[in-house]
Each structure stands twice: as C-alpha cells, then as structure tokens.
C-alpha cells in the first residue's frame, strides 16, 4: 500500500449503479484524503446523490468497491456509521419537539453527554432558538439544525447532499460559514451541489459529474487552466453577427453566436488581448453593441463549455442569449 493509499479515508473503485436504462453511476473512481473538502458538482440527475448514498452505505453498487477508512461496509456498518455525519437536502423532525430536545435525542443515540448539545447550539448559532419548536423554525434554521444533528457524533467524515437548495442567499451563507469553520477540526467533507458558488467557496477540489460519469476534476484554477477556457466575453447586438466574423482571431477558444437573439458568447484565453479585436470587428461590420459583459470563467461556464448545458439544466442557447 502506498503512502497516498494509507492517507485515503474514502476510496471508490469502478463503481456502477444502474436503474433499468439509466446509468446513475457509470464506472467512477474517487479517492479522498483526510481533511479534504470535495464538491460533487452537477445538474439534477447527474448521479451525485446516488454516488453519495453508495458511499454512505445506503445503496449497494451493482459492481465496484467502496472502502471507508480502509474498511468495506460489509460487516463494519456500526463502526463506520459512528464516523460519519450526514445532512440531506431536506430533513424533518417532529414538529412539537424543541431544538434542544432534538439535539439531546440524537446525542443519546451516540451515547454523548447532553453538554454536547450545548456545544452544537454554539456551532450552528442557534442558542436563542434552543426552546423553539421545530415547526416554528425558518427553512434556513431547519437546515442549520439538520447540520447540527449531523455533527452530534463529532464525525470524521461529513456528507452534505444539496444542503442549501431552496434557501435564500443569507441562509445559504450561514450554512457555508459553519461548514468552513469545520475545516479547523480536520473533518473530511463530501458536498453535492449544483450551486457553483458553493463549490468554489467551500471546497479544495471540485469534481464535475454528468450522466453518471466524472467529466472533470481538480481545483477551480486547475480546471480552468487545463481546459484552456479562461475568460468569457458576452454581448448582445442590434443585428445578427455573421457566423465567421470572429474566425482566426488570436485567443478565441469557442464561440456561440445568435442563439435565441443577436450577439453571443466567446470563450477566450485573455479578455484584454481579444476584446479590442472583437469590438473592432463589430465596428467594421456596422454592428451596434447593446450590452457587454466580460468576466473570468466560473464553474458554470466550464460545465457549459464541456457539456453544452448549464448546471441549472438550461441549454447553451439559454445561457448565451444575452438576457444576462
């Protein structure tokens, strides 16, 4: 066993899970080391939840191997579950239970003292809600409580499956801040999300997943560099742009023009190098510019470049139509 293998706390080898004609997980390999924060990024239906449920031991793969801390689930369920904390997209508790009562119940499940519940209240910032009924909590507070329950056993591995879907930006940011603080404890995190900002803000490593497969993996900078799609020029015009207008311009990687409207988007290596040429071409052809946006590519743009779809399941036409 190599040093890297000894350090791995999660190992997935050629795992497959099929449902009739749907290849939910289609032969993926994954190694996560202690203390890593890894995001599984992809649209709904990409296979993220199926994969994490296999890692959690909830589902059995059709083939392949899963090891958690060098142990398989078979015969080690009790031990491994003590090392994991899991928080789902939606978690419901009994409406008439108070926040502190819910935490105490789960502390008892793990043979923890009730003082642990007080620690969790501090971590999730809900000391003032300790006596509130679950039914009276906001959506963001319910998700913070669910995260607190996942932390009750002081897990070495934390799995968050779409933890902020449907929350407003402030509530989402509160969850993010709690999760970031956990890095200090050397917790290992798997986060599934279709929010590009969430993956960028929280995780060391990003895995882009689509149709049951990993299609890209690395840090954000590594991914953008590896695929040479560094920056983006988006624009709208009064009249259509000729399909070949930007052919042979230095630094242009890929263009999408006149999709559901006039204008388009151009993937480039450098905005400062290419934008002046683009503007000159438009001027020379008598094309008036209506809107212009130039920015560094993000994960959604990268997913778009790789698949022709956005993380929110819109198409290239939807995204590049400059109603942005």
């Amino acid at each position: 066993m190599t040093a890297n293998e000894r350090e791995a706390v999660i190992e997935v080898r050629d795992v497959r899970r099929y449902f009739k004609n749907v290849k939910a997980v289609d032969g993926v390999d994954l190694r996560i080391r202690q203390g890593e924060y890894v995001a599984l990024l992809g649209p709904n239906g990409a296979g993220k939840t199926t994969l994490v449920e296999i890692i959690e031991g909830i589902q059995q793969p059709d083939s392949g191997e899963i090891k958690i801390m060098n142990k398989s689930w078979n015969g080690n369920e009790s031990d491994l579950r003590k090392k994991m904390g899991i928080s789902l997209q939606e978690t419901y508790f009994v409406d008439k239970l108070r926040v502190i009562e819910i935490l105490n119940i789960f502390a008892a499940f793990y043979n923890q003292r009730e003082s642990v519940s007080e620690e969790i209240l501090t971590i999730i910032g809900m000391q003032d809600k300790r006596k509130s009924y679950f039914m009276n909590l906001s959506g963001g507070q319910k998700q913070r409580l669910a995260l607190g329950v996942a932390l009750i056993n002081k897990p070495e591995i934390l799995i968050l499956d779409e933890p902020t879907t449907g929350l407003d930006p402030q509530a989402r940011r509160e969850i993010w801040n709690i999760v970031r603080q956990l890095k200090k404890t050397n917790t290992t995190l798997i986060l599934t999300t279709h929010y590009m900002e969430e993956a960028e803000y929280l995780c060391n490593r990003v895995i882009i997943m689509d149709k049951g497969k990993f299609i890209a993996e690395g840090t954000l900078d590594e991914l953008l560099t590896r695929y040479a799609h560094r920056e983006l020029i988006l624009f709208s015009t009064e009249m259509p742009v000729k399909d070949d207008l930007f052919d042979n311009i230095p630094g242009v990687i890929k263009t999408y023009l006149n999709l559901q409207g006039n204008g388009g988007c151009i993937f480039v290596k450098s905005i400062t190098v290419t934008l002046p040429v683009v503007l000159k071409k438009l001027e020379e052809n008598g094309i008036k510019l209506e809107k212009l946006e130039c920015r560094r590519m993000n994960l959604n743009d990268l997913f778009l470049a790789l698949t022709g779809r956005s993380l929110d399941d819109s198409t290239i036409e939807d995204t590049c139509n400059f109603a942005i």
Side-chain angles (χ1 to χ4, degrees):
M1 182 181 292
T2 66
N4 282 342
E5 286 176 329
R6 285 195 298 270
E7 292 172 1
V9 295
I10 297 172
E11 292 182 273
V12 176
R13 297 175 183 169
D14 195 26
V15 163
R16 301 172 191 272
R17 184 73 169 102
Y18 298 167
F19 300 95
K20 294 185 179 180
N21 296 324
V22 177
K23 296 180 178 180
V25 178
D26 192 17
V28 302
D29 295 280
L30 175 63
R31 177 176 290 123
I32 302 177
R33 296 178 178 84
Q34 185 177 12
E36 267 196 295
Y37 272 33
V38 176
L40 289 176
L41 185 71
N44 293 330
K48 306 183 303 294
T49 295
T50 300
L51 178 57
V52 296
E53 287 185 352
I54 292 171
I55 292 172
E56 294 163 358
I58 295 173
Q59 289 196 44
Q60 292 292 319
D62 295 324
S63 63
E65 184 180 20
I66 298 284
K67 285 196 173 181
I68 310 297
M69 298 181 172
N70 208 33
K71 295 180 180 179
S72 65
W73 276 103
N74 188 23
N76 297 294
E77 292 90 344
S78 178
D79 182 47
L80 291 180
R81 295 204 186 284
K82 292 176 182 177
K83 299 179 184 299
M84 280 192 174
I86 300 169
S87 182
L88 306 177
Q89 181 176 333
E90 290 183 298
T91 303
Y92 293 98
F93 303 105
V94 177
D95 280 346
K96 287 298 183 69
L97 280 178
R98 301 178 190 276
V99 168
I100 189 63
E101 292 171 337
I102 292 169
L103 291 174
N104 285 341
I105 288 169
F106 280 89
F109 288 163
Y110 288 103
N111 295 317
Q112 299 277 356
R113 297 188 303 273
E114 289 189 355
S115 59
V116 171
S117 299
E118 300 296 338
E119 295 174 20
I120 296 297
L121 282 174
T122 300
I123 291 172
I124 63 177
M126 292 184 65
Q127 300 96 318
D128 60 334
K129 296 292 181 180
R130 65 191 319 277
K131 293 186 178 181
S132 297
Y133 290 120
F134 178 76
M135 62 184 293
N136 293 330
L137 300 179
S138 67
Q141 290 166 347
K142 288 177 179 177
Q143 280 302 89
R144 275 193 280 158
L145 176 58
L147 178 57
V149 168
L151 297 174
I152 270 287
N153 60 324
K154 300 181 180 179
E156 296 178 54
I157 298 170
L158 181 63
I159 299 178
L160 304 181
D161 189 10
E162 305 277 4
T164 64
T165 295
L167 300 185
D168 62 62
Q170 180 178 345
R172 187 175 299 143
R173 181 68 65 167
E174 289 171 350
I175 297 288
W176 292 0
N177 290 338
I178 296 168
V179 175
R180 285 197 74 169
Q181 288 298 313
L182 296 175
K183 283 189 175 182
K184 298 175 183 179
T185 66
N186 211 26
T187 301
T188 302
L189 173 72
I190 298 178
L191 168 74
T192 75
T193 181
H194 60 265
Y195 293 129
M196 54 189 175
E197 305 95 334
E198 192 160 87
E200 291 179 39
Y201 186 77
L202 292 176
C203 294
N204 315 101
R205 180 156 55 110
V206 175
I207 298 171
I208 299 178
M209 192 172 185
D210 189 38
K211 298 178 181 177
K213 291 183 176 292
F214 294 165
I215 60 174
E217 181 176 351
T219 66
L220 176 60
D221 286 340
E222 286 171 350
L223 289 171
L224 296 181
T225 300
R226 185 180 308 153
Y227 291 93
H229 298 109
R230 296 305 302 263
E231 297 175 346
L232 191 62
I233 300 171
L234 301 103
F235 62 96
S236 67
T237 55
E238 286 187 342
M239 57 188 292
V241 179
K242 294 179 181 178
D243 291 340
D244 61 353
L245 184 62
F246 304 117
D247 288 356
N248 303 316
I249 292 179
V252 171
I253 306 296
K254 188 178 293 186
T255 62
Y256 295 100
L257 302 175
N258 306 318
L259 301 173
Q260 296 186 0
N262 299 327
C265 54
I266 307 175
F267 294 97
V268 301
K269 293 182 180 179
S270 170
I271 289 170
T272 56
V273 170
T274 305
L275 180 60
V277 185
V278 169
L279 295 177
K280 184 177 180 181
K281 285 280 188 181
L282 292 173
E283 184 179 5
E284 289 174 347
N285 286 267
I287 300 173
K288 184 177 179 181
L289 189 68
E290 291 188 327
K291 295 180 182 179
L292 176 68
E293 179 183 343
C294 299
R295 56 179 167 80
R296 185 173 181 268
M297 279 185 59
N298 56 37
L299 287 172
N300 192 46
D301 300 323
L302 176 59
F303 189 85
L304 177 69
L306 291 172
T307 69
R309 295 186 298 119
S310 290
L311 287 166
D312 61 3
D313 287 325
S314 61
T315 63
I316 185 81
E317 289 87 353
D318 298 326
T319 303
C320 289
N321 178 27
F322 201 80
I324 26 185

